[in-house]
Amino acid sequence: MKKWAKILLIILLIIIIMIIAVCWYGKNKLNKINYMDISKEDIEINEKVEEKLTGYRNIAIFGIDTRDNTYEDSRSDCIVIASINHDKKEIKLVSVYRDTYLKITGRSLDKVNHAYWYGGPALSLSTLNTNLDLNITEFVTVNFEATKDIIDAIGGVEITVTDAEAKRIPGLEKGGTYLLSGEQALAYGRIRKIDNDYVRTERMRTVISTAFEKVKTKNITELNKLVDMLLPEVYTNIEEKEIISLIPKMYSYKITESIGWPYETKGITLNGVWYGPPVNLEKNVSELHETLFGEENYEPTSTVKEISNSIIEKTGYK
């Protein structure tokens, strides 16, 4: 399945999970989710990070690159961190670029999306935590092909496109604001030749906020259709009771931030493989904590600093 298609579905996954409990039969629907138990002892978190992030619930969403109904032996070609602030009723989304050059926990420097291949969600969470000073212990993984149907099921997404983008979307000729169908939304997300992968990620984040608000207007019958379509493709370690407890609160929340990370990156080819190192990791982590948690002049942990220095030594990018 195309990477851009999975990104759209992951976005919709977040939406569906947040509105399941609106249906009075939501509990029965949740039984369709594939649950995986992961011990918190298997997930590494840098020292003192846990207490600093009290009040925030951070969840990782992975889109894996397999077509079959399997969740193993795969890279996470899409990584989204959903940071939830219950006090302010806010959700902030961070797309971590899949080629980002980071330290795979217990291994070496590599692309961050390889962590899922080496050790599944547990290693991926540990890698995100140790490189970004986060405290993520919960994840959701998606592997499915119903992209067009999902977009069409919510009635499309209204998006403003440029003239250049319009020329690459079926049925459009010039820029403007359009209600894009599933096919058109996928074409929009697939655009790559007119700019770069980072701008393409921005297009995905545009779809996030649009779809989020659209789903909240749906009635029970429409929600039921979406849930039946999506939940069997969900793989998570979030327990049913936890999901149910989240829903009533999150239905009134708003997405206030949607960004790509690292903020500054620079490509490099090492041993014939292209990577996207953060320039530099320490600086990017500090800025991330200010964006997500409002912590100005955040000083990364010694672990992040050590990894940052290793990346600089390997790439020469300071």
Side-chain angles (χ1 to χ4, degrees), residues 9 18 24 57 67 99 102 119 121 131 159 165 175 178 192 203 220 228 231 233 246 270 278 281 284-285 300 302 318:
L9 287 178
M18 290 193 297
W24 61 270
R57 186 167 193 167
R67 290 177 178 272
D99 292 325
L102 298 176
N131 283 268
I159 293 176
E165 291 169 338
Y178 300 94
R192 63 179 68 197
R203 295 188 185 101
I220 289 179
D228 281 337
L231 289 190
E233 310 295 341
L246 278 173
L270 299 171
L281 177 61
N284 276 276
V285 168
S302 59
K318 298 182 179 181

Side-chain angles (χ1 to χ4, degrees), residues 28-59:
N28 292 329
K29 297 293 182 183
L30 287 173
N31 291 332
K32 296 183 177 183
I33 294 178
N34 299 294
Y35 177 77
M36 175 184 181
D37 184 30
I38 295 180
S39 172
K40 289 188 176 181
E41 295 180 356
D42 294 331
I43 301 173
E44 291 194 28
I45 299 175
N46 293 339
E47 188 176 359
K48 297 183 179 180
V49 167
E50 193 83 53
E51 54 263 39
K52 286 185 177 181
L53 298 185
T54 300
Y56 294 91
R57 186 167 193 167
N58 299 308
I59 301 173

Side-chain angles (χ1 to χ4, degrees), residues 28-278:
N28 292 329
K29 297 293 182 183
L30 287 173
N31 291 332
K32 296 183 177 183
I33 294 178
N34 299 294
Y35 177 77
M36 175 184 181
D37 184 30
I38 295 180
S39 172
K40 289 188 176 181
E41 295 180 356
D42 294 331
I43 301 173
E44 291 194 28
I45 299 175
N46 293 339
E47 188 176 359
K48 297 183 179 180
V49 167
E50 193 83 53
E51 54 263 39
K52 286 185 177 181
L53 298 185
T54 300
Y56 294 91
R57 186 167 193 167
N58 299 308
I59 301 173
I61 302 96
F62 301 111
I64 57 177
D65 61 353
T66 59
R67 290 177 178 272
D68 299 326
N69 187 26
T70 178
Y71 299 90
E72 299 177 350
D73 300 327
S74 175
R75 292 178 293 273
S76 53
D77 273 355
C78 180
I79 303 171
V80 176
I81 299 169
S83 184
I84 306 165
N85 184 325
H86 290 305
D87 292 336
K88 294 184 178 181
K89 296 185 178 181
E90 294 178 348
I91 303 171
K92 295 182 180 181
L93 301 176
V94 179
S95 301
V96 179
Y97 302 124
R98 63 191 179 95
D99 292 325
T100 304
Y101 195 49
L102 298 176
K103 171 72 179 299
I104 307 299
T105 303
R107 299 180 69 94
S108 60
L109 294 171
D110 204 339
K111 294 184 180 183
V112 64
N113 71 333
H114 287 186
Y116 205 99
W117 174 277
Y118 294 134
L123 183 58
S124 294
L125 295 179
S126 294
T127 297
L128 291 173
N129 288 339
T130 54
N131 283 268
L132 278 63
D133 271 352
L134 295 175
N135 64 340
I136 312 172
T137 59
E138 298 172 316
F139 79 95
V140 178
T141 294
V142 183
N143 170 24
F144 50 127
E145 300 182 3
T147 311
K148 293 181 181 179
D149 292 339
I150 292 289
I151 295 293
D152 289 334
I154 66 172
V157 287
E158 189 174 274
I159 293 176
T160 300
V161 302
T162 65
D163 286 337
E165 291 169 338
K167 293 177 181 178
R168 298 181 179 276
I169 299 174
L172 302 185
E173 296 181 356
K174 61 180 181 179
T177 300
Y178 300 94
L179 181 65
L180 302 185
S181 66
E183 180 182 3
Q184 291 174 318
L186 290 183
Y188 174 76
R190 190 180 185 183
I191 296 171
R192 63 179 68 197
K193 293 185 178 180
I194 65 173
D195 34 53
N196 54 52
D197 189 57
Y198 305 123
V199 178
R200 182 176 52 178
T201 303
E202 291 177 10
R203 295 188 185 101
M204 295 303 99
R205 295 198 298 272
T206 297
V207 176
I208 292 177
S209 56
T210 304
F212 181 82
E213 295 302 326
K214 186 74 173 285
V215 169
K216 291 198 295 185
T217 68
K218 298 301 176 182
N219 60 40
I220 289 179
T221 300
E222 293 168 322
L223 294 178
N224 181 42
K225 181 179 179 181
L226 290 172
V227 169
D228 281 337
M229 187 182 301
L230 187 55
L231 289 190
E233 310 295 341
V234 176
Y235 181 57
T236 182
N237 69 335
I238 305 177
E239 295 183 358
E240 178 181 306
K241 63 181 180 180
E242 288 297 318
I243 296 177
I244 292 176
S245 70
L246 278 173
I247 309 305
K249 304 172 185 177
M250 296 176 65
Y251 191 68
S252 61
Y253 285 22
K254 291 184 178 181
I255 295 175
T256 60
E257 197 87 35
S258 184
I259 62 172
W261 190 92
Y263 299 101
E264 184 178 355
T265 183
K266 187 175 181 180
I268 189 172
T269 299
L270 299 171
N271 298 321
V273 180
W274 190 92
Y275 300 95

